[in-house]
Amino acid sequence: MFGLVEQLDGVSAAQGERLREGQRDGAFREFDPVVMLMAIRGSVDAAIARAAADPAFDTSACAQELADIFDRATRKDA
């Protein structure tokens, strides 16, 4: 049975591989997948913390803005 740290490491590895696959397939521009994954996960974690602390926080608007940011950051034709 895996502990939480091992599970998170496995998820991170799978997510990093998805980013690398996107680069190999030509869908994403070149970037460091580890750094991009840290940015994505950090943003999601920050949004969750903000939503927990502020009931008026617009999670839908935040999700759309983050999706737009990371789309532009990874898009090959940007």
Side-chain angles (χ1 to χ4, degrees):
M1 183 167 160
F2 288 107
L4 180 59
V5 172
E6 291 83 10
Q7 288 175 342
L8 291 175
D9 286 346
V11 169
S12 291
Q15 291 170 330
E17 183 54 32
R18 293 298 304 241
L19 292 173
R20 284 185 282 285
E21 284 174 13
Q23 289 174 320
R24 284 191 300 269
D25 293 345
F28 296 150
R29 68 173 185 79
E30 289 300 313
F31 54 81
D32 184 328
V34 172
V35 173
M36 186 63 70
L37 184 56
M38 287 184 342
I40 293 168
R41 291 181 61 138
S43 295
V44 170
D45 290 346
I48 291 168
R50 173 78 186 269
D54 180 3
F57 180 64
D58 188 344
T59 56
S60 294
C62 179
Q64 186 61 58
E65 185 70 24
L66 289 175
D68 290 345
I69 288 167
F70 287 108
D71 176 53
R72 287 190 302 274
T74 59
R75 189 180 320 145
K76 189 169 189 165
D77 62 1

